Amino acid sequence: MEPLDELRAREYPRLDELGQVYLDYTAGNLVPQTLLERHMHLLRDHVLGNPHSTNPASSLTTAYAALARRSVLEFFNADPDEYVVIFTANATQALKLVGEAYPFNSDGEYLLTFDNHNSVNGIREFARAKQCPATYVPVVLPDMRVDDADLTSRLTRSRPNGHRLFAYPAQSNFSGVQHPLDWIPLAQEHGWDVLLDAAAFTPTNRLDLRRWRPDFVSQSFYKIFGYPTGVGCLIARKAALAKLKRPWFAGGTITVASVQGDKFYLAEGESGFEDGTPDYLALPAVTFGLEYIASIGIDTIHKRVASLTGLLLERLGALKHSSGHPLARVYGPRLGDRRGGTVTFNFYDPNGRPLDHRSVEERANAARISLRTGCFCNPGGGEIALGITGSELASCFHQPEHETRLTIDDFRMCIDGKSTGAVRVSLGLVTNAEDVNAFIRLAESFLR
Ligand SMILES: Cc1ncc(COP(=O)(O)O)c(C=O)c1O
């Protein structure tokens, strides 16, 4: 038996016992049994109190929080002299910390790829509130990669006065494309701060922060090892963090704040960015989770997911109607090169007309297959993939009845005839060939 098959049997027996086919790893990983048990033993056997005090219960929690910070730095091979770890509720909160505090101004720029999660898109609202332009770099079909020459010309254009932030995902949660990490030094050489959204990349790929030195990295831990939910982090270069101007202060973030003196002093480093009481009981489980992944080996996980993704793409691509029309149109690379285990597509009927993604989801649900449909909080990826144009969107959004409210059904009416979403299957830590087979059987049922 392969090590990952043994792991599946040992840590996730319920998957096969309950006859579940889980193909939604980009949304979240599954909970391994030993991680849960290790954490429960710790909580049961120790007295853990709220940190930020010297009492014994508090000191123990503080020590576990410090250990978790060291574990994160170690896992990503980050130099502790260069980087700090700020614990957050999730990747979204990490991104918001940067967006709300970045010194955008009218001489600066916020540059981002079309292919981004909404939590990165949303930062444009902070930029625009400070009169800073936000500019999108398109991705190009069929592979949904960025044109390198286009990006290079935007990154190397000089704009010397303002602060400039460039944000992109190391791996797309829409198409699975892995965007080049060597954009990081290129952008930095030309004066950009780089925000790397690593949320969809790190569950199956090594991110070495001594090799690549983005200014900010956003992360949610449940995507890497399934448990706990509710903890993420911002890994930030100290020099970049010093540029940020927090818009407020809160419990836990100051050294001194005064009512009558009307002043506050922000704590240095990570403390100045962790608002209120952290999820302190969960932090030891972050260490345990990272140890769990390290014990399997991220390269082992990567290899296995890459191989099964290749198999899935090959088999899906081979499915054809008797009319000769292909069943599926994949949005993103059809080969395994520079892509992860996220595969997004729509099915088509024998006449080449798209099938509603909701019908695929219904049939998958009935077969106990967990996949996901829609646009996955990545509207730029969806618009490019589905061929929805800026002018179509503008005419829809500018109708008087849509000024303040637009339901998904209104949206469907607006872009009549086009798909509004797609189907996504995503492979991960303990996907096996039988999961791929189960999905292909589901796909074949659309040929009949
Ligand atoms: C690429 C990417 N970025 C950011 C996020 C946001 O993560 P969270 O919802 O945990 O904040 C996700 C979640 O799916 C993601 O896939």
Side-chain angles (χ1 to χ4, degrees):
M1 223 190 212
E2 291 275 317
L4 283 168
D5 293 322
E6 277 173 31
L7 185 86
R8 175 174 169 132
R10 194 172 63 243
E11 294 290 348
Y12 311 87
R14 60 199 180 279
L15 262 181
D16 296 320
E17 282 162 15
L18 300 176
Q20 296 257 349
V21 178
Y22 187 77
L23 291 170
D24 200 15
Y25 285 89
T26 300
N29 221 313
L30 297 172
V31 181
Q33 216 152 278
T34 51
L35 176 53
L36 204 57
E37 283 158 11
R38 211 175 154 196
H39 190 216
M40 288 308 141
H41 283 143
L42 179 96
L43 299 182
R44 195 192 56 198
D45 298 342
H46 296 83
V47 180
L48 293 157
N50 192 325
H52 304 143
S53 167
T54 62
N55 72 56
S58 180
S59 300
L60 187 59
T61 312
T62 305
Y64 273 113
L67 177 63
R69 259 183 249 284
R70 285 200 300 281
S71 308
V72 174
L73 290 171
E74 218 169 90
F75 186 82
F76 294 109
N77 194 28
D79 179 352
D81 289 333
E82 185 174 12
Y83 281 99
V84 293
V85 174
I86 296 161
F87 285 118
T88 59
N90 46 34
T92 297
Q93 197 199 345
L95 292 160
K96 189 175 182 206
L97 280 179
V98 177
E100 69 183 6
Y102 192 78
F104 291 117
N105 62 23
S106 55
D107 292 329
E109 185 173 352
Y110 179 43
L111 181 68
L112 66 168
T113 45
F114 258 61
D115 180 12
N116 257 311
H117 192 275
N118 266 337
S119 301
V120 179
N121 288 322
I123 292 177
R124 73 183 188 210
E125 303 302 318
F126 288 120
R128 288 176 183 162
K130 294 176 181 167
Q131 285 73 51
C132 175
T135 318
Y136 276 101
V137 198
V139 292
V140 184
L141 283 169
D143 279 9
M144 298 194 64
R145 297 193 194 277
V146 171
D147 178 88
D148 243 341
D150 181 13
L151 179 70
T152 304
S153 86
R154 292 168 194 256
L155 287 177
T156 53
R157 232 178 7 219
S158 87
R159 200 172 171 134
N161 294 326
H163 292 283
R164 295 179 303 160
L165 183 65
F166 172 46
Y168 74 100
Q171 181 172 313
S172 170
N173 73 322
F174 188 94
S175 64
V177 159
Q178 293 182 342
H179 296 294
L181 293 175
D182 49 22
W183 290 349
I184 299 167
L186 174 71
Q188 287 171 331
E189 275 160 27
H190 291 89
W192 296 84
D193 295 308
V194 178
L195 168 54
L196 185 74
D197 179 10
F201 181 76
T202 45
T204 56
N205 297 277
R206 181 178 295 282
L207 178 63
D208 181 340
L209 293 179
R210 277 185 165 86
R211 169 95 177 77
W212 308 106
R213 295 188 148 84
D215 296 278
F216 305 104
V217 181
S218 50
Q219 194 67 78
S220 275
F221 290 111
Y222 67 86
K223 291 196 192 284
I224 308 180
F225 39 81
Y227 174 89
T229 50
V231 192
C233 72
L234 175 67
I235 309 175
R237 284 186 57 237
K238 291 178 183 175
L241 201 62
K243 282 190 185 176
L244 302 187
K245 303 271 178 293
R246 295 222 65 195
W248 80 321
F249 65 93
T253 65
I254 43 98
T255 54
V256 174
S258 161
V259 171
Q260 296 181 83
D262 194 15
K263 201 159 164 63
F264 68 92
Y265 296 86
L266 211 61
E268 284 189 7
E270 69 274 357
S271 306
F273 288 82
E274 290 179 350
D275 295 342
T277 304
D279 190 348
Y280 59 87
L281 292 180
L283 292 181
V286 170
T287 301
F288 300 159
L290 293 169
E291 286 173 0
Y292 171 77
I293 296 295
S295 73
I296 304 160
I298 192 76
D299 297 329
T300 305
I301 299 167
H302 175 88
K303 254 173 80 182
R304 162 85 160 218
V305 170
S307 145
L308 289 171
T309 305
L311 176 71
L312 170 68
L313 286 165
E314 191 187 320
R315 295 194 58 195
L316 186 59
L319 298 180
K320 297 219 167 25
H321 290 285
S322 50
S323 62
H325 279 99
L327 172 68
R329 177 170 173 211
V330 173
Y331 307 117
R334 260 72 46 87
L335 296 173
D337 178 39
R338 293 171 297 143
R339 62 128 56 245
T342 303
V343 178
T344 294
F345 54 87
N346 268 316
F347 284 160
Y348 286 74
D349 74 11
N351 300 313
R353 282 188 301 255
L355 300 181
D356 191 325
H357 57 87
R358 290 169 298 179
S359 68
V360 181
E361 182 162 27
E362 271 167 32
R363 216 181 278 187
N365 291 346
R368 300 170 75 71
I369 296 176
S370 294
L371 47 69
R372 191 165 288 258
T373 68
C375 274
F376 329 114
C377 291
N378 188 326
E383 288 162 23
I384 298 273
L386 305 172
I388 302 169
T389 63
S391 48
E392 272 175 302
L393 291 165
S395 75
C396 175
F397 295 160
H398 293 149
Q399 289 170 24
E401 68 273 28
H402 298 158
E403 272 313 315
T404 54
R405 191 167 176 276
L406 183 76
T407 66
I408 189 70
D409 285 330
D410 296 335
F411 187 56
R412 263 193 201 101
M413 295 281 285
C414 278
I415 55 159
D416 188 25
K418 291 189 178 168
S419 304
T420 50
V423 184
R424 181 179 85 181
V425 296
S426 51
L427 280 49
L429 182 53
V430 290
T431 303
N432 62 15
E434 187 40 45
D435 292 332
V436 174
N437 292 339
F439 168 72
I440 293 295
R441 282 195 297 276
L442 172 80
E444 282 167 345
S445 74
F446 286 88
L447 291 175
R448 278 170 235 132

